[in-house]
Amino acid sequence: MKPLRWGILGAANFALHHMGPAIHAAKGASLCALATSNPTKAAAFGAFVPDIKIYESYDSLLAANDIDAVYIPLPNHLHVEWTLRALEAGKHVLCEKPITLMASDFDRLIDARENSGLLVAEAFMIVHHPQWARARDIVASGVLGRLRHVAATFSFYNDDATNIRNIAAAGGGGLRDIGIYAFGSTRFVTRQEPRVITHAKAAYENGVDVFAQVAAEFDDFDFSATISMRMFPRQEVVIHGEKGVLKLSCPFNPSVHAQAELHLETDTHTITTQRFPSINHYVMQVEAFGRSVTDGSPYACPLEFSKGTQQMIDMVFAELT
């Protein structure tokens, strides 16, 4: 079977350092094209894909007949527009998160997906990592007993005013950038949805949220999260039940922050640690996307799931106003 031929819209640093190499390394995928008008950035991609074809505009890449799928790492406020344009051009789409800035925008994407018959998904890579599949199985097994609380923390330090995360007009802010992981991972691992946001507090700089504390009630448990773009890097998810505790010490970007590890403590007073060294969830995401395109395999993060996470983000912003 021929590999899925990929193009990238925009030479973002994240595409250069993570997703570009992942597409290049993934089985069943071939990184063939990049759209950028910047020769220096194009050369950086050519360093690991010497025969990559460079297009000077996004539209020219989308018009290419030898590209099957595109990855979109553009600023957040451009995601919906270019996802729709890519679908209109007949390309499958993997778009960086958040794929929309409002949950209501998902209806346009879902309609376009259904009308085109193409795959379009948000690049929520963590659900493709085996630590999260294992965590989901542990929760479902009942070994933790009744769930009572889930706590998530994700922080890093970035005060670069030119970075799109710090630009309000580009859809920046911590909740959209990394809150999506705290909220989406909790929904994924528990298979539950938030009923109400019980507390939301945020600090803003230049119109974007740089720190937030959020509490919510799910059907069977309480949830709390700390999200910040102005704190020392830290990430952790703790799932606390009546009979046990499951801790993910590097839940969101293993191999960058630290090694992915699950720590399970049960009512037998034992701690079992499971480690996942050298697993690249970006590669696994590309491979899962390709399988879904080529043989119809179920995709772990369909638009309907991503819409649910955006709905929770919208709920938090509504509480903050």
Side-chain angles (χ1 to χ4, degrees), residues 13-25:
N13 282 335
F14 189 81
L16 172 63
H17 296 295
H18 296 287
M19 282 301 298
I23 295 170
H24 184 55

Side-chain angles (χ1 to χ4, degrees), residues 36-60:
T36 179
S37 59
N38 187 315
T40 301
K41 291 184 176 181
F45 282 81
F48 64 92
V49 187
D51 59 347
I52 194 168
K53 187 172 183 179
I54 305 300
Y55 293 87
E56 291 192 354
S57 72
Y58 306 151
D59 284 318
S60 59

Side-chain angles (χ1 to χ4, degrees), residues 32-217:
C32 299
L34 169 70
T36 179
S37 59
N38 187 315
T40 301
K41 291 184 176 181
F45 282 81
F48 64 92
V49 187
D51 59 347
I52 194 168
K53 187 172 183 179
I54 305 300
Y55 293 87
E56 291 192 354
S57 72
Y58 306 151
D59 284 318
S60 59
L61 188 153
L62 292 181
N65 293 325
D66 57 351
I67 298 298
D68 306 308
V70 294
Y71 166 65
I72 300 177
L74 299 173
N76 296 343
H77 69 297
L78 299 176
H79 288 174
V80 171
E81 174 190 353
W82 283 101
T83 294
L84 291 173
R85 292 175 72 161
L87 290 172
E88 290 170 0
K91 314 301 185 190
H92 303 282
V93 180
L94 180 64
C95 180
E96 261 312 315
K97 50 79 193 162
I99 194 171
T100 78
L101 299 181
M102 296 287 292
S104 56
D105 287 332
F106 272 93
D107 296 336
R108 299 167 61 196
L109 299 182
I110 291 171
D111 286 346
R113 179 196 65 188
E114 296 304 298
N115 291 334
S116 67
L118 298 165
L119 178 60
V120 54
E122 182 177 71
F124 193 59
M125 72 291 182
I126 68 169
V127 299
H128 304 284
H129 196 289
Q131 72 166 332
W132 280 105
R134 177 61 180 145
R136 201 181 199 202
D137 288 344
I138 289 171
V139 171
S141 75
V143 69
L144 300 180
R146 178 189 172 193
L147 293 187
R148 301 308 300 263
H149 188 70
V150 176
T153 300
F154 197 177
S155 63
F156 66 95
Y157 197 90
N158 180 348
D159 63 353
D160 178 2
T162 66
N163 188 282
I164 60 171
R165 294 167 181 83
N166 291 308
I167 300 174
L175 285 167
R176 289 189 173 112
D177 186 51
I178 55 176
I180 194 171
Y181 292 116
F183 301 162
S185 65
T186 300
R187 295 178 54 249
F188 178 80
V189 77
T190 66
R191 296 180 171 90
Q192 294 190 33
E193 301 294 337
R195 293 192 294 106
V196 63
I197 304 300
T198 57
H199 173 75
K201 173 185 176 182
Y204 288 82
E205 293 179 16
N206 300 318
V208 300
D209 59 286
V210 299
F211 170 85
Q213 288 181 320
V214 175
E217 289 182 2

Side-chain angles (χ1 to χ4, degrees), residues 175 183 187 193-201 213-218 222-225 308-321:
L175 285 167
F183 301 162
R187 295 178 54 249
E193 301 294 337
R195 293 192 294 106
V196 63
I197 304 300
T198 57
H199 173 75
K201 173 185 176 182
Q213 288 181 320
V214 175
E217 289 182 2
F218 283 67
D222 292 330
F223 168 82
S224 62
T309 301
Q310 186 59 52
Q311 285 173 330
M312 187 172 180
I313 294 173
D314 291 353
M315 291 167 65
V316 173
F317 279 122
E319 187 69 19
L320 287 170
T321 57

